[in-house]
Amino acid sequence: MSELSDLYQEVILEHNKNPRNFREIVDADQYADGKNPLCGDALRVYVALDGDTVTDVAFKGSGCAISKASASILTDSLKGKTKAEVKALFDKVHEMVTTGKCDGGVGKLAVFAGVHKFPARVKCAILPWHAVVAAVEGRQEPVTTEMEDI
Ligand code: ZN
């Protein structure tokens, strides 16, 4: 991680230390588990929905600094978004962490653009995103980074 810029590294470490929305949503409408066996990340993402709109999103579990910071910033970014907007943001973040290219509109998530230089870490960064998309789509089976196209 030493090659990530100091600023980005600082943001990631801060979110790892003080993750936002690190809690269970007891009456969550849906949740999904994400597992990255290569790194040992295991996160559960909870969503509360009002119709098509995410009213609350939170996560629990354990993982490396990248996966926890990604989940933390994700939960900060998705409240009030519709399911379609969550999926659209997932596509942007996926493109950004795999290629480093970003055409804006990702807010604080831009700190993960540098992750594309560390292929093993891309799975850590994208894991919570796969889990939240599974959760809003109501898929219960665990998501793992062993599945293709992650
Ligand atoms: Zn990880």
Side-chain angles (χ1 to χ4, degrees), residues 36 39 41 63-64 66-67 121 124:
N36 175 10
C39 178
D41 310 313
C64 64
I66 298 281
S67 65
R121 292 303 193 178
C124 302

Side-chain angles (χ1 to χ4, degrees), residues 33-150:
D33 292 317
K35 287 188 169 56
N36 175 10
L38 281 180
C39 178
D41 310 313
L43 302 173
R44 174 170 288 182
V45 177
Y46 302 85
V47 291
L49 297 162
D50 180 8
D52 243 13
T53 304
V54 175
T55 55
D56 198 8
V57 51
F59 76 106
K60 289 280 277 181
S62 60
C64 64
I66 298 281
S67 65
K68 275 176 80 178
S70 177
S72 173
I73 298 177
L74 171 156
T75 58
D76 253 0
S77 308
L78 295 184
K79 270 179 224 170
K81 296 222 184 307
T82 64
K83 290 180 184 180
E85 286 167 340
V86 170
K87 187 68 179 44
L89 196 53
F90 167 86
D91 289 339
K92 270 177 183 271
V93 172
H94 190 270
E95 165 87 7
M96 182 180 74
V97 298
T98 51
T99 68
K101 291 195 202 93
C102 177
D103 57 5
V106 296
K108 276 185 287 181
L109 296 159
V111 297
F112 293 101
V115 168
H116 81 280
K117 287 181 249 166
F118 308 91
R121 292 303 193 178
V122 169
K123 289 172 189 278
C124 302
I126 205 71
L127 180 70
W129 285 91
H130 281 286
V132 78
V133 168
V136 298
E137 289 177 351
R139 286 185 272 126
Q140 284 281 311
E141 70 272 24
V143 187
T144 89
T145 52
E146 300 302 286
M147 294 154 76
E148 27 84 64
D149 90 0
I150 287 192

